[in-house]
Amino acid sequence: MNAVTPSHLGVFLKARRAQLSPRECGLPEPESARRVAGLRREEVARLAAISVDYYTRLEQGRVRASATVLATLVRALRLDEDQQRYLYELAGRSDARPRRRRTAQRVRPAMGRLLDQLTHTPALVLGKRLDVLAWNPAAVALYTDFASLPAARRNYVHLLFTDRTIRDLHRNWEHDARDAVAALRMEAAVDPDDPDLAHLVGSLSVQDADFRTWWAEHRVNGAAHGTKQYRHRLVGDLTLDCDTWSSPDGSGQRLMVLTAEPGTASHDALRVLTSWTAGQTETDRPEGLTR
């Protein structure tokens, strides 16, 4: 491929935003008439969850976009497949375009065995990008039937923002969702050009204004413990300690466990909730392979 100067990318971005209206991108119509057609730089930056200054420098060819930023621009500017391919070529990242098939992650056998033994304790195995790789029956009782969800939707952050049942479960949803976005930011630091991460961030940035705003804040959170406040439709309010343990093999997998202090109402309610599924000892995963 012949080298393409950064200015060509800026020309393409300007041309594409001129073709779009705020209404078709889900933005409010301006009260006064516009001097130029299409979206303003500020509006594209808002849709892509990046700063106006960064987007301006991108149009001017003074900064190179990561795969994550390109993915958010694909959705913000509503590019079709040909336009996407062209965008990545201009950005010099043709090898970083999001793949159609996601990279398979296998649950470590030791993680799976431990998960099976936690009968009264909701637990999940989270992988890269906070993908939900495996779960036990108690986690199904608390959250949702993960097996009934398409594999592409089994992501902790995606479910927090898009699944009404899980969103309503969190009494302090905004706090927990912001922490999840900050944790995802930590993932981006490990592999900023991960195409699956780019696809996830791009999709959520377009779908949800809160995610778009919080992602743009660049807040990070690597906390391995905390407290979750839930309101379950069957047993009422629950206050649970949430602890995560990272796998020592460098796979990025971590075990997330939710417990309640003995003698509390939350402990009793959690025992009632998980007793309905305590007889199921196998985790709901096809041989440890999720995607």
Side-chain angles (χ1 to χ4, degrees), residues 60-242:
Q60 294 173 346
R62 296 190 289 124
V63 66
R64 186 168 185 251
S66 68
T68 302
V69 168
L70 291 174
T72 62
L73 287 172
V74 163
R75 286 157 183 80
L77 296 173
R78 299 173 177 262
L79 303 182
D80 61 28
E81 288 199 15
D82 289 339
Q83 291 169 328
Q84 291 180 44
R85 188 177 303 109
Y86 185 62
L87 174 73
Y88 280 89
E89 290 287 345
L90 291 178
R93 290 186 174 274
S94 58
D95 60 332
R97 285 187 292 117
R99 297 185 294 271
R100 292 183 181 276
R101 297 188 62 187
R102 308 190 73 175
T103 304
Q105 298 181 74
R106 292 185 179 274
V107 178
R108 295 185 64 244
M111 282 275 201
R113 289 192 296 270
L114 181 58
L115 198 61
D116 291 337
Q117 296 175 35
L118 298 171
T119 56
H120 287 287
T121 304
L124 304 169
V125 175
L126 302 176
K128 296 178 180 178
R129 305 170 295 273
L130 303 185
D131 289 339
V132 179
L133 304 184
W135 52 91
N136 63 1
V140 172
L142 177 63
Y143 287 110
T144 190
D145 182 6
F146 294 101
S148 68
L149 300 175
R153 289 185 55 202
R154 292 183 205 145
N155 176 275
Y156 187 76
V157 183
H158 186 274
L159 291 172
L160 263 179
F161 281 90
T162 64
D163 188 287
R164 178 51 61 182
T165 297
I166 291 182
R167 186 170 180 138
D168 290 345
L169 174 67
H170 291 75
R171 286 160 56 192
N172 297 328
W173 177 83
E174 181 174 336
H175 174 273
D176 294 342
R178 291 184 72 132
D179 275 354
V181 173
L184 194 63
R185 264 289 177 193
M186 292 288 287
E187 293 284 317
V190 175
D191 188 2
D193 289 331
D194 176 2
D196 293 331
L197 176 64
H199 182 273
L200 173 64
V201 172
S203 176
L204 287 175
S205 293
V206 172
Q207 291 182 61
D208 193 280
D210 287 327
F211 180 90
R212 188 162 62 239
T213 298
W214 299 335
W215 182 260
E217 290 175 349
H218 285 258
R219 176 173 169 257
V220 294
N221 179 17
H225 59 86
T227 302
K228 302 288 188 184
Q229 303 285 340
Y230 295 120
R231 177 160 292 148
H232 198 277
R233 57 189 176 82
L234 297 179
V235 297
D237 290 352
L238 296 164
T239 299
L240 304 179
D241 291 322
C242 179

